[in-house]
Amino acid sequence: MRILFLTPDVPYPPRSGGTIKSMSVLRHLQRAHQVRVLCFRRAPLTPEQEAWTTEAGPIETVPLRRGRSAWNLLRSYAAGVPLSVLRNRSRPMFRLAAEELASEPFDAAFADGWLMAQYVPAGYRGLRVLHEHNAEHLMWQRQAELETSFGRRAVVRLEHMRVRNYESAIVRRFDVVFAVSQDDRVALEGLGARSGSVGLLPNIPQEGLLDRPELQAPGEPTLLFLGTLGWPPNAEGLRRFLRSGFPLLRSRRPDVRLVVAGAGTPRWLERLISKTPGVEFAGAVLDPEPLYRRARAFVDVGVGGSGTRVKVLNAMARGLPVVSLPWGLEGLGAVPGEHALVAEDQRGLADLLGQILENDARWLRLSEAGRTLVRERYVPEIAFAELDAALGATSGDLTPDRD
């Protein structure tokens, strides 16, 4: 098949959860299909990215840089779309996508994320596929529940309703919609997606992690949190852990260290990290392997959100035991106590982290079980089976009926 792949960011190099998933799906599609990529570039391409666009082409990028601001929020109200959609709205991209689909016989248009759904024209007659990295309305609903400020809670609740209405409209326009978890699938079906149109396209870890040698339990009591620090569920969860769970653990194990790594750190979070005893800030890292090798456990303190956590899959694939709040294992089919340790609150996190720091036998069991779970469920040939089936089932009938 010939597929037009629309994605919001240059997916190379894949370092965030979103680009890891986008790159995994793109590579999988390229093995069996002819794929053309259209994406935004939000900064000048690095030499590494320039080389990738040449080697992995055909790939075309469109410049776009539009931040969050009160003015853009007002513009989004006037346009009747959520703020994130307005921030990713581009006339050149509309024009380019329409021209590509009109001038070449693409069998399918693949919108990689809800932000790119707007670029699949209503009149396009090929197969329309939407890949929802998250059930966005569910994520906004949970974010509203976490807000403590009355004013911010009101704004987030309003945005949740706007996202829900928009997401409900777009899932109805696509022939196939993919969710990353069963919970997200149920949420998207509840928005009115076509009967039987919502499938599963689970997240998978970064390529190559399963192929690396087994880790050895380090003697030093070092914990790792690695994630996109600008993502509100991560930032808020880390704030809570630094103010509650981690100090409690330090009161029992004064030698314990926490390494925080990731991009997009808000200034308030940098200040909190810098003044919290026992915490090291690594910032954005190009290669997390030294951090994986140094750490005794991966702690996922994120709260809210939706979908599944790529950072948790990465840690499991690398063989690093995971200790998490309940959100961290949502949708993964992981058994608490077997594949990872799960705490209900900050005190529980401190308790479980203390156990994993001291028990080598339990460390080894969790390391092996996490890798086994990933091998059995979260490799492309298994996780992407429904995508292959959807494309294969339509390869003989590439102009499905439209409502």
Side-chain angles (χ1 to χ4, degrees), residues 221-234:
T222 300
L223 308 174
L224 172 63
F225 178 85
L226 170 62
T228 302
L229 299 175
W231 193 46
N234 284 342

Side-chain angles (χ1 to χ4, degrees), residues 291-304:
L291 300 181
Y292 287 137
R293 288 181 176 274
R294 178 186 173 192
R296 177 80 179 189
F298 185 93
V299 54
D300 183 14
V301 297
V303 294

Side-chain angles (χ1 to χ4, degrees), residues 6 51-52 130 222 234 291 320 330 337 361 388 391:
L6 302 156
W52 176 76
L130 173 62
T222 300
N234 284 342
L291 300 181
L320 184 61
E330 276 190 344
D388 293 338
L391 296 178

